[in-house]
């Protein structure tokens, strides 16, 4: 049995240009662990989309990435407004992002669908007014 | 990639072991050990950043010399367009072409001419079905190597065409061979006049595969000084340059992409900026772009470490040199891409950052790195010889350095020792004169 490694990141909600920093750092760590490029890319895209979501909707949050010998688990937690209708939010092209955010090129409504597409499992726990926690897993083999 | 031949070298006698290059290396390939810099060749991408920033001129680009011309019966010069921007008050590129003849070259083939062909072929390639977009330019060898190291998924976005230098070399060699059917290929020397060390590595490592036609790579700087001597004569040369606006534009950032004649492009320069762009494309951002031009050097190729002039001044000079030239006189009659223009060399992921080939061992090392990093000051001062505290922790775990190299922690320990010793001495002193109070002083710690 090998040990698990966990990386913790705070996602700053103030700054759009720093959104994506955690996924860049995770990519570096996964490369050091010798994870295959295909897996690294899936983790990175899922995490990047999640980070952007936390910045747009929840003023930031935290990301914890755990690598075990079987999978990479990504837990994204925020204290944002929560998602009122998860199945609606999962639809491609559906977005509640404000116009000023769309003007930056975000809010295309592909965040959650991409996160699901690039991971092997995704669970959303959300409570209105309390926050959202998304757990995604990517299998290593 | 092992046994990679680099073109950046260090003069140990000049290196003071300062942290300037350490902090600027984009791949964390440098460490300071035993008082001077060491380059990890598995990680070096020959960007030349350390050469540019070294305050002691201890880093040098390794390249061939004009003297190597004597090894060939016939020589061909391939001047990169960046060369044209080095000269003050130059009104006509013909002076340079003529000067290269006076320096001793039998033929001159301008890289700018081949660049115009590549621009035309790029437009054709972008119009093909099934092309992975955005297409990333293959011209900067630092960028293609960076992609191989860190962005393997983007490898199939790199344009599969040979860069202009290689196409220029092929056409120049063929032309020289036609003129001199009596010569064997080894008697014809094709000399690239390059602004950057990365092109030297590109040639020495055979990145063009079987299609490599460049024999020697000499620096724009050496040729600049050689040309200064012969260009003084002042005779007005005949019209020998055939480069146009587009070809010369390739020397500066935006030149290559504006020749795509398509608004959906991005042009970035400076290695750190390029890395940021690559990170974002890797995350599937910028999906509506067709073409991406990335130049590792600020300003574009004029910013290479083997040039003389300030890159922005060189760029401004090129702007006025090309103003009255035809747009693209070397554009091929049709845009069909000939087979010889396709690259054989593939970009492979080399896993250069992997801690251990055994995953369990890599996980164990990573845990250790994380816990050591947590105990380090986190100011990334570089005094330990590693660029960041995290890199230092990695070096400790790999047994490449010792924890006591951290000067910040050592300073704290030193102060603690001094303080403890001071108290000991104090209590001894007070204890000897006032024995009754000694215990009280001790109990305060």
């Amino acid at each position: 049995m090998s040990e698990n490694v966990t990386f913790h990141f705070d996602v700053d909600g103030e700054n759009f240009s720093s959104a994506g920093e955690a996924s860049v750092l995770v990519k570096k760590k996964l490369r050091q662990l010798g994870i295959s490029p295909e897996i690294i890319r899936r983790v990175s895209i899922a995490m990047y989309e999640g980070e952007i979501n936390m910045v747009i909707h929840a003023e930031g949050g935290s990301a914890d990435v755990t690598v075990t010998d079987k999978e990479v688990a990504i837990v994204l937690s925020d204290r944002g407004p929560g998602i009122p209708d998860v199945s609606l939010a999962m639809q491609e092209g559906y977005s509640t992002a404000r116009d000023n955010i769309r003007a930056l090129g975000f809010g295309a409504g592909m965040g959650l669908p991409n996160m699901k597409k690039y991971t092997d499992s995704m669970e959303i726990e959300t409570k209105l007014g309390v926050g959202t926690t998304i757990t995604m897993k990517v299998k290593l083999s | 990639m092992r046994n990679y031949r680099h073109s950046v070298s260090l003069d140990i006698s000049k290196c003071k072991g300062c942290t300037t290059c350490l902090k600027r290396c984009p791949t964390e390939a440098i460490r300071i050990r035993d008082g001077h810099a060491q380059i990890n060749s598995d990680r070096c991408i020959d960007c030349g950043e350390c050469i540019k920033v070294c305050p002691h001129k201890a880093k040098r680009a390794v390249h061939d010399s004009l003297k190597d011309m004597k090894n060939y019966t016939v020589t061909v010069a391939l001047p990169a367009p960046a060369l044209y921007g080095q000269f003050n008050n130059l009104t006509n590129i013909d002076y340079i072409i003529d000067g290269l003849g006076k320096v001793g070259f039998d033929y001159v083939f301008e890289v700018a001419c081949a660049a115009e062909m590549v621009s035309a072929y790029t437009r054709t390639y972008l119009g093909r079905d099934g092309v992975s977009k955005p297409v990333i330019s293959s011209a900067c060898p630092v960028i293609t190597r960076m992609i191989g190291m860190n962005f393997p998924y983007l490898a199939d976005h790199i344009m599969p065409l040979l860069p202009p230098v290689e196409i220029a070399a092929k056409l120049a060699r063929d032309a020289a061979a036609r003129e001199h059917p009596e010569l064997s290929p080894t008697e014809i020397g094709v000399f690239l006049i390059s602004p950057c060390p990365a092109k030297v590595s590109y040639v020495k490592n055979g990145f063009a595969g079987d299609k490599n036609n460049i024999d020697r790579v000499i620096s724009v700087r050496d040729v600049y000084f050689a040309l200064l001597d012969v260009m003084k004569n002042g005779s007005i040369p005949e019209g020998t340059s055939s480069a146009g606006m587009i070809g010369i534009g390739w020397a500066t950032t935006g030149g290559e992409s504006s020749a795509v004649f398509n608004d959906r492009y991005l042009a970035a320069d400076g290695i750190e900026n390029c890395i940021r762009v690559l990170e974002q494309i890797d995350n599937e951002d910028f999906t509506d772009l067709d073409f991406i031009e990335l130049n590792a050097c600020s300003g574009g190729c004029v910013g290479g470490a083997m040039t003389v002039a300030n890159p922005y001044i060189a760029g401004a000079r090129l702007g006025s040199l090309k103003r009255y030239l035809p747009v693209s006189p070397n554009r091929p009659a049709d845009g069909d891409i000939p087979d010889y223009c396709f690259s054989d060399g593939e970009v492979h992921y080399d896993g250069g950052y992997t801690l251990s080939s055994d995953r369990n061992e890599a996980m164990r090392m990573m845990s250790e790195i994380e816990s050591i990093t947590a105990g380090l000051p986190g100011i990334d001062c570089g005094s330990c010889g590693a660029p960041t505290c995290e890199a230092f922790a990695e070096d400790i775990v790999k047994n490449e350095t010792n924890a006591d190299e951290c000067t910040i922690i050592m300073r704290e320990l030193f102060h603690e020792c001094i303080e403890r010793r001071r108290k000991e001495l104090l209590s001894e002193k007070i204890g000897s004169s006032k024995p009754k109070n000694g215990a009280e002083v001790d109990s305060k710690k």
Side-chain angles (χ1 to χ4, degrees), chain B residues 38-78:
Chain B
Q38 280 182 3
I39 303 172
N40 176 345
S41 66
D42 289 343
R43 288 192 183 178
C44 173
I45 55 173
D46 296 285
C47 66
E49 206 61 28
C50 55
I51 299 177
K52 288 181 232 170
V53 300
C54 178
H56 310 292
K57 306 279 174 266
K59 290 271 175 59
R60 283 185 302 119
V62 182
H63 49 75
D64 298 310
S65 134
L66 279 164
K67 289 185 187 133
D68 294 318
M69 285 165 69
K70 66 176 187 312
N71 299 319
Y72 301 91
T73 314
V74 163
T75 53
V76 190
L78 309 177

Side-chain angles (χ1 to χ4, degrees), chain B residues 239-253:
Chain B
T240 42
S241 169
S242 51
M245 226 178 233
I246 283 183
I248 291 171
W250 273 64
T252 49
T253 300

Side-chain angles (χ1 to χ4, degrees), chain A residues 16 56 96-107:
Chain A
F16 269 102
I56 294 177
T96 57
R98 295 189 308 276
D99 284 349
N100 58 348
I101 281 162
R102 289 171 194 252
L104 289 168
F106 299 107

Side-chain angles (χ1 to χ4, degrees), chain B residues 402-420:
Chain B
N402 295 308
D404 57 13
E405 291 290 330
C406 177
T407 53
I408 304 297
I409 290 180
M410 286 309 275
R411 190 173 63 186
E412 280 170 19
L413 291 179
F414 178 74
H415 285 308
E416 277 172 30
C417 286
I418 297 278
E419 185 63 12
R420 199 179 309 135

Side-chain angles (χ1 to χ4, degrees), chain A residues 71-89:
Chain A
E71 64 188 16
V72 181
I74 309 147
V75 180
L76 304 169
S77 298
D78 67 57
R79 292 164 182 271
I83 305 170
D85 184 340
V86 173
S87 59
L88 188 59

